Each structure stands twice: as C-alpha cells, then as structure tokens.
Amino acid sequence: MNLKRIALIASLMSFTCVTFAESFTWSVVPQFTSSAIHHDWTPILKELEKRTGHTFTLKIYETFNEFETDFLVGKSDFSYMNPYHILMAKQTQNYTPLIRDEKSQLTGILVSRRGSNIQTLSDLQNQKIAFAAPNAFAASLYMQALLKNKEHIDITPYYAGSHSNAYRQVLTGQTQAAGGVYRTLTKEPPEAQAALQVIYKTPSTAAHAIVVHPRVSAKIQIEIQQAILDLTQTKKGQNLLNAILIPKPVKASYQQDYQVLEQLNLTPIVYGQ
Amino acid sequence: MKTWWRQSSLYTQLSIVSVTVLSIIILGLSYSSLQTQKTALFSKLQADANIMAKNVAFSSQYPLISNKLDNLENLLLSAARYPDVLNLQVMTPQGNNLGHITILDSGKIKIIYDLSPNLIPLKFSSNKRHITQTKHKLSIWQPIHNSTHIGWVLLEINLKPYQVIQKKLALDTFVNGFIIILLNLIILLGVLFFPLRQLSKAIEFSQKLINMPGKTLDLQGGSKEVNQLISTLNKASAQLKIQDDKIANTNTLLEQKIATRTKNLQETNKRLILLQHAIEQSHSSLLITDNLHVITYVNPALEKLSGYSEMELIGMTPSALKSANNELDVIEPITQILNDGNEWIGEFVNQRKDGSDYWVRSIISPVKNDQGEITNFIAIEDDISGNKKFEHELHQHANYDILTGLPNRKLGLDILQKAILNTQNHHSKMAILFLDLDRFKNINDTVGHHVGDLALIEAADRILGCLRPQDSVARLGGDEFLIILQDIMDTTKLDTLLKNIETELTKPYLLEDREHILGASIGIAISPDDSDNASDLLRQADSAMYTAKRNGRGQHQFYTQSIADKVLHKSQMTAALYHAIEQNEFTLLYQPIMDLHKEKITHCEALIRWNSPHLGSIGPDIFIPIAEESVLIIDIGYWVIRQACRDAKKWDIQTISVNIASAQLREAEFIQTLKTILEEEAFPANKLCMELTEHSLMEDVSSIRKSLQALVKMKVQLSIDDFGTGYSSLSYLKHFPCRFIKIDKSFIDDVAINREDASLVDAIIHMGHALSRTIIAEGVETEAQLNKVKSQGCDYVQGYFISKPLSAHAFEKLIHV
C-alpha cells in the first residue's frame, strides 16, 4: 500500500505542478454496447475538451472483464463505473468519485419472457439466468447475492457480456430469465421491452459515477468537475448529460454515497468463481 | 383504300408513315430494351439479395458462435435497412429464431421475438443457398457455415418496389417513345409545313393560271424544289400572257379577213343566186353529173320533161333516161367523147317515167377545174319531140301511103332498087310481083269510095300477112301493089307464096255488113333472070300482069317462060329423081380443099351431080330443093355418104365433107343408119365431115340438136357452110360444135378489092379462131383472093383457083402426086 500511496502522491504532485492543456484517458463501463457508449460519451467529452482545453481519449471495452482489468491497474485517468466497481477501484487504485446523478439509483431487475412459464421467482429455481457480467453491480452481483442469500433460489448464471445480450438470451429462449437494471431495460427497443416482464427487483442503490485517478491533479479534478456541473447551464450541455445518464450531476463523495455498500460484503464473482 | 391514300395530301402521308414507322421502331426497341432492363434489374436485385444474405450469413458467424445476440440484432438491424428487405431472420439449423427483423408496409422496422420455430423446407440442403420466389417476395435461405452448419439466414426481399420500378420503367420507356415519335413528327412536319404550304399555294396559283395569264406568284418556296416550281409557273404565266396577246392579235386580224371574205362571199352569193334562178327557171333541161357520169343535179325543166323528180335522178347515170328505142347505142360513143374532154352535140330518144318517149337535142360539155381536170359534165337538152314528130310525119307523108300505111310508090321503088342490089350481092334471086285487085272499081262505083278504101286496107293487110320478113309490099296507087320477094332460090317457094297471096285475096271481104269478092291479077318478073334493072323489072312485071288480066283475071303470069316451065316440071322432076338412085344417075365429084399453111390438099368436099337421061344434066341447086320437099332427100343423102366413104376410104386426107340437109338430121333413124353405113364401109367416123348451111341450122335448131350431139359423140366432124349469109347470132355459133367454118363465096368474091368485105372476112377469121374453129374460104377464084385470105390468117381455101370439082379418079391422082 505504501508504494501505492507514494505513487499516488507523486502523481498528484506532478499534476499540480502543471495546469495547462493535458490529455487524459476516460474509460466507460461496458454496460451498453461499444457503439452505444461511443455514441453517448463522445459528444460530452468533446464539449469538455472545449471547455477545459484538455484532451480526453475515450476507452471502450467489450467485456466487463477487460474493463475491470484495466481500472484495477489504473490504466484510465477518468472512468465511469458501477458502484461495485467504485468500491473496487477505491480499494485498489484509490479512484475517487467525482460526479454522480443526483436522483438516479440503481435497481437490479430480473426479467423473464412475457407469456412464458416463468412468472415468479420460485419458477427460476435451478434455471439458467443470463447476466451481463459477473460484476455488473445491481444486475448481477447484488442480484445473485440476494437470490442466493436472501431468496434462496439456486440458479445457473450465464454471462452474456452485456445487458443487451443478457436480455436477448431470455428473449430467444436461451435462458429463462435475465438480470439487468431499469436503465438498460428502458434503453432496449420497445419490442424487447414489450416481450419482457420484471419478476424481481433489488433494493435501489446509488448509481454509477465518474471517478478520477488520484494522479490527476486536484486542480484539474475540480476543473473537470465544475465543467461537468456547468453543462447544466445550457440546453446543449443538458442534452449531453442526459445521454450519459447523468441528467442532474452533483458532486459525488465516497464516504457519503458508496461506503455503505461495503457492508454488503459482495464478493467478486469475476475471479475464480 | 388505295385511292384514298393516293389522293391524300403529302402532309397526311408523311404523318401517317412517320408515325407508323417510328412507332414500330421505337416501341419495338423500347419493348426489347425494357425486357433487357427487367431481366437485368431482377438479376441485380437477386444478386444483391444474394450478396446481402451472404454478408449477413458471414457476419452472423461471430455473433452466433459467441452467442452475442445483441450484436446479431444490431447486425440484422443494419442489414434490414437495405432497401426492399421485407424480413431478415437468423435462426438455428433447427429453425429457432435468434434474430428476426421485419419491415412493415409503412417502412417501420420491427424486431420480432417469437419463439415459434420456422419451418425449414425439408428439401433444403444445408450446403447451398435456396431461392424461392412468390409474386411479390423473393426468399433467400442462406446457410451459415463455420466449418459446420451453424444456422440459417432467411432474407426476404419485397418485389413490389421492383415491380413498381418495372412498371415505371415501362411507362417511362413508352412515354419516352411516344415523346420521341411526337417530337419527330413535329420536327418533320414543322420542317415540311412551310414548303408544303407554299407548294399548295403554288398549285392553287397554277390552277388559276389558266384564267389569269400574266399574273405572278410572289412567294418564297420554302425549299429548292418549290422555289423552282414557283419560278417556272411564273414564267409559264408570262408565256401564257404573251400567247394570249398573240392570239388576240391574230383573232383581230382574222376577224378583219373574215369580214372581207364575207363581203366577197355575199357578192358571189348574189351572183350564184342569180345563176341559180336562171338555171331553175330555164326552159331548157339542165343536168349535171360528176366526173364518173353520176347525176348530181337536174333542173326543174328536166324534171318536168322526164317526169322524174330530182331525188329519183340524183345518183343515177343519164343512161337511165335513155329509151330502148334508140336506133343506135348512144351511151358508149358519147361517154368516150366526153371522157376525152370533148363536147358532144346530138339527138337521142329518152324515156319518161310513164314510159313514153321523147326526142332531145343535147349539148353535153365537160367542166374542168383550174388544173384542167374534168370534174363534172353538164348537159343542156331541149325537147325536140315536137320537131321529131313533125319530121316523122313529113317522112311518113313522103314515103308512106296514108290509107294503107304501106310504103308508097316512091319508097316502093327505093325498096326495089335496094332489093335488086342485095340480090346481086348475094347471087340470089328475087321476084317482083305486080298485083292488081280485080273488081275493085266495082266497089267504088257501087258502094262508094269509103268502102273501097276499106277494101284496100283489108287487102293490104292480107298481103302483108302472106309475106316473109325479107319481103316488102308497096302501094303503087289505086288498086295496084308492088310486092318484092327476096331470096327466091327455089321456085317452089315462089309458088307457095303466090298461092297464099291469091288464096287470101280471094277470100270474101266483109265491108260495112256486106260481103264483097275481089281477086288479084299478078304479074311476076324474076331478077336477075329477067332483068337486074328496076324499071325493066317493073315493066316486065306490069306486062306480065296485063297478060294475066287478059287471060281472064284471078291468075298470075310469069314474064319468063323457062321459070314457068321449070315450075311445071317440078312434078316431072320429082318422079325422075325417084328412080335416079337405083338407076345410078348420080355421080359424086370432089372439090379439093387446100391447107394454106402446109400448101397441101388435106380435105375435100363431095358434090353431087345428076345426069338424067330425060331431063339432062341438072344441077343440085335445082333438084336438091325438090328432093328436100319429099323424102327422097333422105335416100339421096345416104347414097352420098356411102359413096363418099367408098371413094375416100383409100385416100390420104384428113376429112371428106358431105352436104347434109336439115331434113336428114330430123329423120329419127339418121344416126343409126349413119353408124351402119360407116360400119359397113369400114370408114372411120372422124374422117367424115358433115356440112350444114347456116340457113338450115337456123331453121329448126332444137329438133336437130339431138342429131348433132350424137354426131359429135361419134366424132364426126361438123362444118358450117355458107357462113355469113344466114341470120345466125354469134352466140349460137359458140354453141354449135362445128370444127370448120366455111366463109360464103359472096364475101370472098371482093375480098381483095372491097375493104368492107375484107374486114368482114378478117372478122370472121378472127372470130372463128377465137372460138378455136378452122376457117375455110369458099369460092377462091383468083390468086389475089388467095393471097388476101392467106394474109388474113385463113386456114384452108376451096375454089376454082385451086381446082374445080374432080372425079374420084382424078382427085386420087391429084393427091397422090
């Protein structure tokens, strides 16, 4: 840990020394398809570049696995991740949450095909359920923990790689149900939504946030933070924020918003499970 | 149909042809291009669909393998955006849908999440693509392979847009086609419109041209040809005007000429009318013919005179008017003279329509044209019937006895003179009778002169009734008549005539219901016996008459006794003849006939002689006529034939001629007997020639014709004797099958000295030769005569100059020398 702390301080220091145009990497969790993520995030980053003068390079990942691997070694300067990832990132690299949406909460859902014989949770006993990724926080991690510990439903998880694919697994009958979140479900085409029904949901938690690596100088952090917050001023900025699902950005705090999740004792599914 | 086309305007024709041709071409091309496009389009469509299906299949591999159904869905969504995609599905090999995109009619893309599996047609093999096609949909089943068959792509393409495109293409093409046709038509007709309009204007102008020469058409043609046409028409118009003016000028000139000519004609006409009146009103008859003597005009005077209307005469010749009673043929000589271009003046007799005759004195002249050719003949005739009648009456008065109509003394003496001459010429005889009516004075005294006249008339008639054509009677005066009997060769004839006259005259006369008896005293003189002088003869006859009167009236008296004696002896002679044959009193003499060409005796004529012991030597001219009066002539005839045959049998001559009387030919047995004689004497028929006189032939031709025909058939030669002395018509000669014609002595006598006789002989020779006969000249007595007839072409001669008749012995000697 010391080594890490030293590195962090060092990078912080290096950052505070220089405050003119810099380039930063920005990764986004593959909650959606790469193209969707690219589509949603590129405009706002461009706007931030304009406003701050810095350059941001968007990093997109196909799988959760890849995404996690990278942030665990602190590859990106900025990142947008789910709450569990925030825990992991804090613990490993000390990424700190910068911005989160004021209102939105994450609620994990279980969906089955409308009209199928999976109507209640009990119907899912020993069934195959598709999840986007093991560590998709609300959709997978929290959901599976609840199913196992609280609901005592044994299931066979299938990791589809993305929410979209997870839904399609159930839609095409490959699995009986899929775990997701509302925000991803609502992004599905109406036919898909019409063909699915929610049969279970988790308690809501705090949603995704933009986190920053400590190597980024505090000055810049604040700069970026402020820039994002300023986006609400304009309609264009607002739209940009809507696209990344942070319609009402507020300053995020680890202690206030996410620390509590530590108590859930969520174990990563991704390793060795 | 075809006439309609030919009469329609150029414009119409062009339009129709262009439209038709263009339509065919363009629509044809369009259709074929359309078909090509359609095929190409569909091929492309299919190819594109195939490629798309393939692409989808290919792209689906990874999502299928990695079970990334969201990627698959994205893939399908993007593929489905391709045009005309109806339905795009990716399914498991079993047919379970892994992704299903449908395009609604509205064009909206719909994702279908349907778990019901698709029915994959059994026959689909997983190795290849399968394409099915319905009316509106093309379905492509593309298998997805990744070394194994991992799924199906079902791509359904909507064919409706393609069909719509097709239809649109077709429509466009055809519309284009129509537009092209229309444009073409417009351009063509547009280009031609102006020239054709100008052309029709030019045509209009040309039609009016005829009536408006000189007018020009001032118009641009619109094309070279029309320009040329217009310029030509204008030239033609100008030309027409010039000609029109010329014609107008000529017309004016002509009119002037016509006026002048008309004036001249009117003057001429006046003259002609005057002439016409003159002719029509003339008292003289006028007749005009054309140059062929066809009547073209007669004046009213001629109509009146002839009794024919102009209509009846036009087209006839003047000979139609001639009377048959003209003495001479007038037509021929007149025609000849006229045709030679000379005038003829003369008189002839015409016949009226009613048949009556009238005399005209006629002046006929040829009318010549300027070239001297005869174009017409004009005859001016005056009726001289009156004159002629007067002349005739004068003549009559001068020559004829008014009472009896007989020739008067003057004429009678004339007749006598002529008769004497005639008798001399013919070496014949004539008798003159001086006849005095007995008891005539009685009638005059008792009943009156008028009855006496009646008696005279009656007597004259009776006398006339007894005479032959060659005889004449004249009233010398009072009750004296002179009768002239010609051709009295045999006295028996005379006897008969005398008897007749006497009988007739002694018959009672019924005059004014009273019977009277008269007689006649006749004195007879014979010429040349008694005299050849007229006054002598009259005197002789007169004295003979007085003798008859002295001897008691009612009888006749000959001047010469010998004749009387001869008459008395007639009966004696007849008796003597009867015995002559059996008592061999006849002999035959033979007169040679010489061939003038060969100068050799080749024929002879047998002549009979009678030596009567009682009567002496009597010539055949005396006893033959007597024999002819009885049947004796037959036997004598046969005797002659037989004797001639016997004598001539050995002679080297062509024929021997024997005289035959008509009485012999009339005999029924003649031919048979002749045949018998020839047989008995073994004499060839063709060596025998029979001579018949012209007289005897003329007497009774039909009854002897049979015999003649038989003779011809037998090959007996025939000969006409004394030719020229009879009245035979020449046409008869044509029919009489004689070989020889013997010209009578009377013609030969003066042949060398008299031109007329020579001409006659010449004529006879020529005529005879023309009819293929042989001519013998009789009575040749001088060398001159012989030479003459020889020069005239005569074939044979007979006569004293060659030889007198010889005895058989002498003749034989002559020819065998």
Side-chain angles (χ1 to χ4, degrees), chain A residues 18-154:
Chain A
V18 182
T19 55
F20 51 89
E22 288 181 42
S23 56
F24 300 103
T25 54
W26 194 304
S27 68
V28 175
V29 68
Q31 195 177 27
F32 302 107
T33 60
S34 309
S35 61
I37 291 164
H38 185 271
H39 177 265
D40 297 338
W41 282 90
T42 309
I44 195 169
L45 289 180
K46 282 243 157 44
E47 185 61 26
L48 286 174
E49 280 178 350
K50 235 199 269 187
R51 287 176 184 242
T52 63
H54 302 298
T55 325
F56 298 98
T57 311
L58 184 63
K59 276 194 80 96
I60 311 168
Y61 298 90
E62 280 291 315
T63 60
F64 273 76
N65 207 12
E66 290 159 14
F67 173 73
E68 287 158 8
T69 311
D70 269 11
F71 84 70
L72 283 173
V73 296
K75 270 253 174 88
S76 338
D77 303 310
F78 291 85
S79 189
Y80 174 83
M81 52 181 67
N82 74 26
Y84 181 70
H85 285 145
I86 292 169
L87 261 53
M88 280 170 70
K90 182 78 166 97
Q91 283 168 22
T92 55
Q93 292 288 326
N94 203 23
Y95 279 95
T96 48
L98 207 60
I99 295 284
R100 70 164 174 90
D101 191 64
E102 181 187 44
K103 283 268 171 71
S104 56
Q105 308 230 281
L106 276 177
T107 312
I109 50 172
L110 260 180
V111 291
S112 72
R113 245 186 21 260
R114 216 187 278 270
S116 72
N117 53 0
I118 308 293
Q119 298 294 326
T120 62
L121 207 56
S122 52
D123 294 331
L124 282 170
Q125 190 69 250
N126 298 319
Q127 295 298 324
K128 205 169 173 188
I129 301 180
F131 299 100
N135 293 339
F137 175 66
S140 172
L141 203 63
Y142 195 16
M143 180 60 78
Q144 284 193 65
L146 281 172
L147 285 175
K148 185 173 169 192
N149 299 329
K150 187 177 174 196
E151 302 298 336
H152 307 293
I153 302 285
D154 287 317

Side-chain angles (χ1 to χ4, degrees), chain B residues 684-695:
Chain B
N686 62 356
K687 202 171 169 182
L688 182 65
C689 180
M690 295 202 163
E691 287 189 20
L692 286 119
T693 63
E694 205 179 342
H695 292 284

Side-chain angles (χ1 to χ4, degrees), chain A residues 33 35 62 113 158 160-162 164-165 168-169 171-174 188-189 191-192 195, chain B residues 62 66-71 73-74 77 92 97-99 109-115:
Chain A
T33 60
S35 61
E62 280 291 315
R113 245 186 21 260
Y158 174 76
S162 68
S164 299
N165 202 18
R168 274 153 190 81
Q169 297 300 313
L171 280 170
T172 59
Q174 311 294 323
E188 289 298 316
E191 299 94 322
Chain B
Y62 177 68
S66 60
N67 202 20
K68 297 281 185 219
L69 298 179
D70 54 344
N71 286 347
E73 192 175 288
N74 284 337
L77 278 169
T92 62
N97 266 329
L98 298 173
I109 296 174
K110 189 165 173 197
I111 310 167
I112 298 176
Y113 303 101
D114 181 3
L115 286 182

Side-chain angles (χ1 to χ4, degrees), chain B residues 427-494:
Chain B
H427 302 281
S428 62
K429 293 197 205 284
M430 62 175 279
I432 71 160
L433 275 56
F434 218 102
L435 193 148
D436 189 291
L437 289 175
D438 301 333
R439 289 186 291 278
F440 178 71
K441 222 165 160 293
N442 263 4
I443 295 175
N444 265 349
D445 293 341
T446 55
V447 211
H449 286 269
H450 63 284
V451 179
D453 287 345
L454 289 172
L456 282 168
I457 294 165
E458 178 73 32
D461 278 340
R462 290 184 186 184
I463 294 167
L464 271 170
C466 298
L467 300 181
R468 305 163 302 167
Q470 63 265 49
D471 304 324
S472 317
V473 57
R475 184 180 170 207
L476 293 173
D479 62 349
E480 287 179 341
F481 293 91
L482 174 68
I483 301 167
I484 301 159
L485 305 171
Q486 296 195 63
D487 295 321
I488 304 292
M489 282 313 293
D490 60 287
T491 51
T492 51
K493 262 268 152 47
L494 181 59

Side-chain angles (χ1 to χ4, degrees), chain B residues 635-746:
Chain B
D635 288 334
I636 292 169
Y638 285 137
W639 180 87
V640 169
I641 294 167
R642 194 180 285 277
Q643 189 58 43
C645 288
R646 281 186 187 157
D647 287 338
K649 205 173 3 186
K650 315 160 237 144
W651 294 345
D652 183 20
I653 50 163
Q654 286 181 26
T655 66
I656 176 161
S657 299
V658 162
N659 288 292
I660 295 291
S662 54
Q664 288 172 275
L665 290 172
R666 268 186 256 124
E667 203 235 359
E669 313 282 284
F670 175 69
I671 295 298
Q672 192 49 53
T673 315
L674 174 66
K675 277 183 183 167
T676 312
I677 293 169
L678 288 170
E679 247 177 68
E680 286 172 359
E681 298 306 320
F683 194 85
N686 62 356
K687 202 171 169 182
L688 182 65
C689 180
M690 295 202 163
E691 287 189 20
L692 286 119
T693 63
E694 205 179 342
H695 292 284
S696 56
L697 276 171
M698 290 313 294
E699 270 167 28
D700 195 356
V701 177
S702 50
S703 71
I704 61 177
R705 197 176 292 161
K706 249 185 166 170
S707 300
L708 286 171
Q709 282 170 355
L711 284 171
V712 169
K713 212 167 165 198
M714 282 167 70
K715 302 269 193 305
V716 171
Q717 310 285 314
L718 295 172
S719 176
I720 296 185
D721 203 3
D722 299 331
F723 186 78
T725 59
Y727 306 106
S728 64
S729 73
L730 296 169
S731 66
Y732 169 75
L733 184 65
K734 197 169 78 173
H735 293 118
F736 180 59
C738 64
R739 183 177 159 194
F740 300 101
I741 297 174
K742 299 181 86 170
I743 306 175
D744 187 65
K745 183 176 184 303
S746 59

Side-chain angles (χ1 to χ4, degrees), chain A residues 78 96-100 209-212 221 224-225 250-252:
Chain A
F78 291 85
T96 48
L98 207 60
I99 295 284
R100 70 164 174 90
I210 298 169
V211 302
V212 62
Q221 284 185 23
I224 307 297
Q225 194 183 48
V250 293
K251 290 182 187 173

